[in-house]
Amino acid sequence: LSTDSLCNDINNSQWSLYRGTTTIIQAVGSGVRPIYYKVPGEICIDPLEAMTGWRVFVSNVGDFIRFLKIDSEASDNSKEYEYYNACQYCKKIFTPIDSSTFISFIN
């Protein structure tokens, strides 16, 4: 387990195996490829559920290892378009805080 900050871990990673955490949105924005662990028969809890491309699904260790091998051998150029679209998707999910909207809601 890492003892570094989450931000540093994200910045030093190429892939992220995840389930249901919104931290994956920050990771994608930093260039980390999301790998969703999909449990067969379970309801999807993926915060990136509507995102197409860039994200990968695995359901067992064999799938995970096969993907890492294929992806590590692929050229960076082949990934750029999917990564760009994934970043745009993540930017649309979260918007900057607008304090006037918050104050209006409270009032």
Side-chain angles (χ1 to χ4, degrees), residues 13-80:
S13 297
Q14 185 174 355
W15 305 287
S16 178
L17 182 64
Y18 74 102
R19 285 201 27 99
T21 178
T22 56
T23 303
I24 196 62
I25 296 165
Q26 179 183 356
V28 170
S30 296
V32 176
R33 190 157 195 173
I35 304 171
Y36 181 73
Y37 176 61
K38 186 174 183 176
V39 176
E42 269 192 1
I43 294 172
C44 181
I45 57 171
D46 184 0
L48 302 178
E49 183 175 20
M51 186 172 82
T52 57
W54 190 242
R55 175 191 51 189
V56 175
F57 296 96
V58 297
S59 57
N60 58 55
V61 174
D63 289 347
F64 182 64
I65 292 170
R66 276 188 294 280
F67 169 73
L68 294 182
K69 182 174 171 100
I70 291 167
D71 196 58
S72 64
E73 294 171 357
S75 73
D76 289 339
N77 292 339
S78 68
K79 302 173 191 176
E80 283 183 32

